[in-house]
Amino acid sequence: MSEILPRPTPPAVESVVESPAGSAVRPDPPAAIVLAFRCWLAGVVLVVLALPVLLLTGMGELTADVWRRVHLADPEVPDQAHSDFGFFLLPVVLLVLLLVPAWFFVAGAMRLREGNPAGRTALAGLAVPGLAFVLGSAWSLFSGVVFVARSAAVVWTASTAGVTVVALVAMYRPSASEYLREVGE
């Protein structure tokens, strides 16, 4: 009579699993990697899209203030309608300028999700100037340089800095480090 043996249990994390077709299949990334990936993308959206929209909300007050000061200095200056377009173009120019560094954040997040340790290294390096940009933007939002509702500035600053810090912490969690070590080899 044959004896029934229990099935062996597979290891908890396998670096590469062979599929029936013979191609290597990567395991699903752990929750920490997925969280970091989503936070980096959310940070990109907050900086590239939400910041120009936030600035656009204060452009009316900014143009009025500039023209008040100009007319105090020289009452013969023509009306403000000619330069309103230039003021409203500033957030659009900012959006275009922010697309270039945003591409590096997105590329790093994609590499991180794929299990490439270079993605984590790149994102950690980009986080320092990224947080400096957020804090510099917050200073201009709070100091009155840019006319934006203070509550909107607080929400933008806290959410942008928050997702950046959460992404940094998540991508260095032990499960994330193990995933990058296993898959990145």
Side-chain angles (χ1 to χ4, degrees), residues 5-31:
L5 297 174
R7 294 181 126 185
T9 57
V13 175
E14 291 193 28
S15 60
V16 177
V17 179
E18 290 292 326
S19 70
S23 64
V25 177
R26 291 184 190 264
D28 290 334

Side-chain angles (χ1 to χ4, degrees), residues 3-146:
E3 200 173 299
I4 299 177
L5 297 174
R7 294 181 126 185
T9 57
V13 175
E14 291 193 28
S15 60
V16 177
V17 179
E18 290 292 326
S19 70
S23 64
V25 177
R26 291 184 190 264
D28 290 334
I33 293 288
V34 173
L35 176 65
F37 173 75
R38 290 178 180 168
C39 283
W40 286 118
L41 292 184
V44 166
V45 168
L46 283 167
V47 170
V48 172
L49 297 178
L51 181 60
V53 168
L54 186 65
L55 294 177
L56 195 57
T57 63
M59 281 296 143
E61 292 85 10
L62 177 64
T63 57
D65 183 60
V66 167
W67 279 102
R68 240 187 334 270
R69 292 174 192 217
V70 166
H71 276 290
L72 286 175
D74 184 10
E76 300 296 319
V77 174
D79 62 5
Q80 78 182 57
H82 298 303
S83 68
D84 280 351
F85 178 74
F87 279 111
F88 284 100
L89 194 61
L90 287 174
V92 175
V93 171
L94 180 65
L95 177 121
V96 171
L97 291 175
L98 289 174
L99 286 175
V100 174
W103 181 85
F104 290 105
F105 280 96
V106 172
M110 297 294 287
R111 292 184 79 160
L112 177 71
R113 188 180 66 173
E114 293 168 358
N116 191 333
R120 177 168 71 175
T121 304
L123 288 169
L126 288 169
V128 173
L131 281 173
F133 174 78
V134 169
L135 294 176
S137 299
W139 175 82
S140 68
L141 292 173
F142 292 127
S143 67
V145 173
V146 179

